Amino acid sequence: PPVWYDLQMADYRTKTMTLAEWPAFRKSYEDFFAASGRDKRLALFIHADEKAADKSLLLIPGFQSGKVEALSPGGWQDAGDVSGKAWGVLVGNDTANADFGLTPPVVFHGWDV
């Protein structure tokens, strides 16, 4: 089976992150993702809360989550059911939403910081 065979059954972790925390975490995650060879089992997703523009819910798959969480310690928790929300890809392969079986947002602006 392809590498991403079990991705749609992945366990996920979430963290609410502020816009102020984002630039440092983004750089660290992008470096980690590049060092992995853009592993399809890795991706960083966002569910933006329109009521709170200064913070958003980030989502990572369980694969190597301990290493990812170490890039931004504290506040991570089990995600539970991630269906029913639209998840934009912040860092990942072009097919990340489909690979993980996550619904992409209709319009996605992300945190362009």
Side-chain angles (χ1 to χ4, degrees), residues 17-18 26 28-29 35 37 45 56 72 79 82 89 93 102 106 108:
M17 184 172 284
T18 66
R26 177 184 183 174
S28 296
Y29 189 89
F45 299 94
S56 290
S72 179
V82 297
V89 178
N93 293 299
L102 297 173
V106 174
F108 177 60

Side-chain angles (χ1 to χ4, degrees), residues 24-103:
F25 180 65
R26 177 184 183 174
K27 172 74 172 111
S28 296
Y29 189 89
E30 286 175 341
D31 291 347
F32 176 75
F33 184 66
S36 78
R38 300 182 55 86
D39 192 315
K40 280 188 163 279
R41 296 170 291 180
L42 295 170
L44 176 63
F45 299 94
I46 185 172
H47 174 73
D49 182 349
E50 296 171 5
K51 298 174 190 165
D54 64 328
K55 62 183 176 180
S56 290
L57 185 64
L58 300 184
L59 177 77
I60 58 172
F63 178 71
Q64 295 200 2
S65 62
K67 291 180 180 180
V68 175
E69 290 177 30
L71 302 174
S72 179
W76 292 95
Q77 59 188 1
D78 291 335
D81 184 9
V82 297
S83 64
K85 288 185 178 170
W87 296 99
V89 178
L90 289 171
V91 180
N93 293 299
D94 293 341
T95 59
N97 279 99
D99 291 344
F100 286 93
L102 297 173
T103 304

